[in-house]
Amino acid sequence: MKMSKITTPSTRVLKRKSLWITVAVIAVAVIVLIIFLKRQKPEAAPLPTVETQNVETADINIYGEYVGRIRAQQFVEIRARVEGYLESMLFAEGTYINKGQTLFIIDPRVYRANVEKAKAQLNKAKAAAQKAERDLERIRPLYEQNAASQLDFDNARAAYNSATADVIVAEAELTQAELTLGYTAVESPISGYISERVADIGTLVGPGGKSLLATVVKSDTVRVDFSMTSLDYLRSKSRNVNFGQNDSTRNWDPYITITLADGSAYPYRGLVDFADPQVDPKTGTLSVRAEMPNPDRALLPGQFTKVKLLMDIREDAMAVPSKALEIEKGGAYVYVVRPDSIVERRFIETGPEIDNRVVVERGLAPGEQIVTEGRHKLKHGMKVAPVAEPEPNNE
């Protein structure tokens, strides 16, 4: 006989409690699932933004900067060539004078007397020569007719030769006396600006006294002297740039520009026309010279100035901003952005630096993109968000 299952009150309570526990667990699981499903997914880390610039080619001027000194094209000392008392001065100090203009007068009376004496000696010599010539002409036919001896003829001919020689000597002495007299009027050998006088009126000047009277400076064209380092010279030499020599293979010549004392740029250029063939062993430099126009006398001899020398022109060269460059023991490198926005650390060979830009000899190609700002947060192989560097504001 089959027995029926008896349900007691305690059994029903246990079943009900178990049911509620199951419902609670399911509810908690549902709530957790809903929360998990509604949870926001974490956003991906943003790519680092960097400013970039395209590598381009252009003609790049290479300059060197030095300290120069202005020198007059001609600097002439006016000196007394004869001795005497300074009688007068015929110019205004510090003014422009012309070539051949009389500047000083030295007392000419002694030298004028010497000229008169030389003239008298010349007239005397000419008279003696005329008499000797007449004596020779008289004795010549007598000697030919054997009416005069050989001795008489020889004496007459010797007297004539001696008299003509005395004429030549007297003429030379007159020329010398006239030249010496001319030296009493001191003239300027060049055109230019004259200094103040060195000797006062009434001073004994000349060989036995003070000879320097003044100086004349020709400064409508000036020379600029400066010293170049031997390293700069060798770098230019390696590029076949020979300072002070004409080169028909180049379409440019080395020139200089200078800066005035107030910081302004001088409007004219000067061409380099001389370079010393040897290096000064004391300083390791060589002297270079350029000629520069000075029509307004803005440049004064003896003045120091800043010199900027065009040393070379790199045609179709590449240059990158100095701020894009990193230097380490292995060399210099830049970050190059590939077309897939991955950065590559690229080692390059650098050349001279010009105006915060560095010439790149090897390692880059035109059209490549380099990082100019934000390189401190980059690593090789990192992906970036490149942004073109803004154009500089020239206003």
Side-chain angles (χ1 to χ4, degrees), residues 37-86:
L37 294 175
K38 289 187 176 182
R39 181 175 61 89
Q40 293 182 352
K41 295 181 180 180
E43 295 181 357
L47 297 177
T49 301
V50 294
E51 292 185 1
T52 61
Q53 186 180 104
N54 289 333
V55 178
E56 297 178 350
T57 60
D59 292 347
I60 299 175
N61 295 350
I62 309 298
Y63 294 97
E65 294 187 354
Y66 311 95
V67 176
R69 187 173 184 180
I70 308 300
R71 180 163 56 93
Q73 185 184 33
Q74 285 184 282
F75 181 89
V76 178
E77 294 181 338
I78 306 299
R79 294 184 176 273
R81 302 178 65 175
V82 294
E83 185 176 277
Y85 289 99
L86 196 62

Side-chain angles (χ1 to χ4, degrees), residues 46-52 337 341-343 378 382-388:
L47 297 177
T49 301
V50 294
E51 292 185 1
T52 61
V337 182
S341 298
I342 301 295
V343 293
L378 300 181
M382 179 183 291
K383 192 166 186 176
V384 297
V387 176

Side-chain angles (χ1 to χ4, degrees), residues 44-330:
L47 297 177
T49 301
V50 294
E51 292 185 1
T52 61
Q53 186 180 104
N54 289 333
V55 178
E56 297 178 350
T57 60
D59 292 347
I60 299 175
N61 295 350
I62 309 298
Y63 294 97
E65 294 187 354
Y66 311 95
V67 176
R69 187 173 184 180
I70 308 300
R71 180 163 56 93
Q73 185 184 33
Q74 285 184 282
F75 181 89
V76 178
E77 294 181 338
I78 306 299
R79 294 184 176 273
R81 302 178 65 175
V82 294
E83 185 176 277
Y85 289 99
L86 196 62
E87 193 173 81
S88 60
M89 181 182 75
L90 306 178
F91 65 93
E93 296 168 311
T95 60
Y96 186 85
I97 59 173
N98 296 310
K99 180 179 180 180
Q101 180 177 336
T102 301
L103 306 176
F104 297 95
I105 297 296
I106 299 172
D107 186 359
R109 289 174 294 180
V110 173
Y111 303 101
R112 191 176 292 122
N114 290 339
V115 169
E116 296 301 324
K117 180 180 178 181
K119 287 181 179 179
Q121 294 290 348
L122 177 58
N123 291 333
K124 181 179 179 181
K126 287 181 177 180
Q130 290 175 356
K131 179 179 181 303
E133 183 180 12
R134 287 194 297 269
D135 292 344
L136 179 61
E137 292 301 322
R138 280 195 299 267
I139 202 171
R140 187 187 301 275
L142 297 176
Y143 170 73
E144 292 174 353
Q145 297 173 8
N146 294 323
S149 65
Q150 180 71 43
L151 178 61
D152 292 335
F153 179 71
D154 290 342
N155 288 339
R157 187 166 56 184
Y160 171 72
N161 292 336
S162 177
T164 54
D166 289 341
V167 171
I168 296 174
V169 171
E171 288 176 343
E173 290 179 346
L174 176 60
T175 300
Q176 183 176 4
E178 289 174 341
L179 284 174
T180 305
L181 176 61
Y183 294 153
T184 61
V186 181
E187 298 178 350
S188 175
I190 63 171
S191 298
Y193 287 87
I194 192 166
S195 69
E196 65 177 351
R197 68 176 185 270
V198 178
D200 292 328
I201 304 303
T203 303
L204 179 66
V205 297
K210 182 181 293 187
S211 62
L212 181 62
L213 304 179
T215 56
V216 178
V217 176
K218 184 179 181 181
S219 57
D220 51 353
T221 298
V222 296
R223 289 173 175 168
V224 183
D225 297 323
F226 58 96
S227 295
M228 174 187 292
T229 64
S230 56
L231 179 60
D232 284 347
Y233 176 78
L234 291 175
R235 286 174 176 170
S236 299
K237 191 72 175 177
S238 66
R239 297 277 300 169
N240 295 322
V241 179
N242 298 308
F243 296 106
Q245 301 179 18
N246 293 326
D247 190 346
S248 58
T249 63
R250 293 194 311 260
N251 58 4
W252 62 275
D253 290 311
Y255 68 82
I256 67 166
T257 56
I258 63 175
T259 303
L260 300 178
D262 60 359
S264 62
Y266 187 64
Y268 299 98
R269 292 178 176 179
L271 290 178
V272 175
D273 65 348
F274 170 78
D276 202 313
Q278 61 183 0
V279 174
D280 187 343
K282 295 180 181 178
T283 61
T285 60
L286 69 154
S287 299
V288 183
R289 183 187 72 197
E291 282 201 357
M292 179 167 286
N294 188 32
D296 302 324
R297 293 190 69 219
L299 305 178
L300 299 178
Q303 181 180 8
F304 286 94
T305 185
K306 294 180 182 178
V307 175
K308 190 174 182 180
L309 167 67
L310 176 63
M311 302 175 63
D312 192 9
I313 295 181
R314 300 288 185 92
E315 297 178 349
D316 296 328
M318 291 179 293
V320 299
S322 301
K323 62 182 180 179
L325 212 62
E326 287 281 358
I327 307 294
E328 62 175 30
K329 292 182 179 180

Side-chain angles (χ1 to χ4, degrees), residues 6-22:
I6 300 172
T7 302
T8 63
S10 60
T11 301
R12 288 195 296 270
V13 170
L14 288 174
K15 286 183 176 181
R16 191 180 295 113
K17 187 177 180 180
S18 177
L19 179 61
W20 281 109
I21 290 174
T22 301

